[in-house]
Amino acid sequence: MLEAIIVLVIIVGICAGVLLSPLLTKWRRNRIRNKPFPGRWQTFIEQNFLFYHRLPQSLQQKLQGYITLFLAEKQFIGCGGLQITEEIKLAIATQACLLLLNDSGDYYPNLVSILVYPSAYRVKPTKRISDYVVEERDEVRLGESWTRDQLVLSWEQIEYDIQNCQDGHNVVLHEFAHQLDQGDGMINGVPKLDSKADYRAWAQVFTQEYQQLQRDAQRGRKTVMNKYGATEPAEFFAVATETFFEKPEQMARKHTALYRQLKHYYKLDPLEWT
């Protein structure tokens, strides 16, 4: 009888923990988000990110809360001799959290660690050619988003992107767009959307635009978006995100339907910041 009671108590405790865990997480996150935002953090953001000045005050405050929580939950690891500083953390967090202002993401739940190299880094990926042959390559990269729990970035590239915020290239936006893409467990250029109608509209617009970019790339035509987006749908979404935030006028003019889709998804309009 006593053993049965103990088992019952354990089961009740486990069930209570499962039910209360989301509430406790929400409470903890609200408490962190509502902490006063350090003045030096705000000064850094104002000095380095032009878009911040154009955001409504409500979105500025929301972004501040997201940044505070992001810095509390994510681990930053310096690689190649790089020492992680507050500046590095803020530069990454500010841009990563900009993508979350639509509340569609859950603070990049699969992401645990952000590895930062001082500059471009070398990797040796392998590719299976056949059952008996594996090809090893030597590649130089500026960033990558892994399907596990890590994301890799180059600090030199981040600094360059901050200084050149209208060229359509941004490694932080690119790699964190991949994180959003992975939110449903698949890397296919389709993040989590709100409704079936949104998925249908997304599929129609993105398929047309992706195929057009492929045709333009094959024919050597000048494009608003980086032609790297033509390699696969996942890269197209990441490149489109970079372009949306950094070249909104050109995208809205040349790719109106795509701009509208991204505006609807991110619930932001970068045209208001130009």
Side-chain angles (χ1 to χ4, degrees):
M1 182 67 178
L2 180 59
E3 292 181 354
I5 294 175
I6 293 174
V7 171
L8 180 61
V9 169
I10 293 174
I11 293 174
V12 170
I14 293 173
C15 292
V18 171
L19 293 174
L20 290 175
S21 180
L23 296 176
L24 292 174
T25 297
K26 184 177 180 179
W27 174 83
R28 178 185 60 80
R29 284 179 164 176
N30 285 337
R31 182 173 58 83
I32 293 173
R33 280 201 309 264
N34 291 327
K35 286 183 176 180
F37 200 70
R40 66 182 184 280
W41 291 10
Q42 181 161 344
T43 298
F44 173 82
I45 293 172
E46 290 176 347
Q47 291 176 346
N48 289 277
F49 297 102
L50 297 177
F51 72 82
Y52 182 80
H53 299 273
R54 299 296 182 90
L55 290 177
Q57 186 175 7
S58 59
L59 284 182
Q60 289 182 356
Q61 293 176 344
K62 188 176 183 180
L63 181 62
Q64 290 175 4
Y66 279 22
I67 291 170
T68 303
L69 182 58
F70 186 93
L71 295 179
E73 291 191 344
K74 307 307 180 186
Q75 177 187 31
F76 291 80
I77 301 173
C79 303
L82 180 69
Q83 296 295 316
I84 296 295
T85 64
E86 188 173 78
E87 177 187 36
I88 292 174
K89 292 181 179 180
L90 277 172
I92 295 171
T94 300
Q95 297 172 89
C97 292
L98 177 65
L99 303 186
L100 298 179
L101 291 181
N102 61 353
D103 293 322
S104 66
D106 187 23
Y107 309 101
Y108 306 110
N110 298 324
L111 180 63
V112 176
S113 303
I114 301 166
L115 282 61
V116 189
Y117 282 85
S119 58
Y121 56 94
R122 289 187 175 276
V123 296
K124 293 183 178 295
T126 58
K127 180 180 180 181
R128 182 171 293 278
I129 304 301
S130 67
D131 291 339
Y132 305 103
V133 180
V134 175
E135 179 186 63
E136 182 178 82
R137 293 170 293 173
D138 188 13
E139 295 183 2
V140 177
R141 295 181 180 176
L142 300 174
E144 56 189 310
S145 179
W146 296 352
T147 55
R148 298 191 293 276
D149 58 1
Q150 294 182 330
L151 185 147
V152 190
L153 296 167
S154 157
W155 174 237
E156 182 179 68
Q157 185 63 38
I158 294 171
E159 289 185 299
Y160 178 86
D161 291 339
I162 291 174
Q163 296 300 318
N164 299 271
C165 60
Q166 295 180 327
D167 65 357
H169 303 284
N170 185 297
V171 67
V172 176
L173 295 180
H174 186 103
E175 300 306 336
F176 277 92
H178 281 318
Q179 285 289 315
L180 294 176
D181 188 3
Q182 296 165 197
D184 58 0
M186 296 182 291
I187 308 175
N188 56 5
V190 185
K192 287 183 179 179
L193 302 176
D194 293 332
S195 66
K196 290 182 179 179
D198 285 341
Y199 279 105
R200 286 194 296 269
W202 186 281
Q204 180 179 359
V205 172
F206 270 74
T207 298
Q208 291 175 351
E209 294 283 353
Y210 172 59
Q211 292 174 348
Q212 182 61 55
L213 184 61
Q214 286 185 312
R215 289 191 292 270
D216 290 341
Q218 291 169 357
R219 296 169 184 172
R221 294 173 179 167
K222 185 177 180 180
T223 57
V224 174
M225 289 181 284
N226 191 315
K227 293 175 183 177
Y228 182 62
T231 56
E232 58 179 273
E235 296 300 343
F236 180 78
F237 169 56
V239 167
T241 293
E242 293 177 271
T243 311
F244 174 73
F245 283 103
E246 295 215 338
K247 300 169 73 174
E249 291 182 352
Q250 296 95 314
M251 176 178 267
R253 185 172 63 253
K254 297 289 188 179
H255 304 277
T256 305
L258 180 60
Y259 188 88
R260 287 174 179 167
Q261 281 295 312
L262 291 168
K263 177 182 174 182
H264 178 70
Y265 172 67
Y266 284 114
K267 295 181 174 59
L268 294 169
D269 187 358
L271 279 175
E272 298 175 354
W273 310 341
T274 58

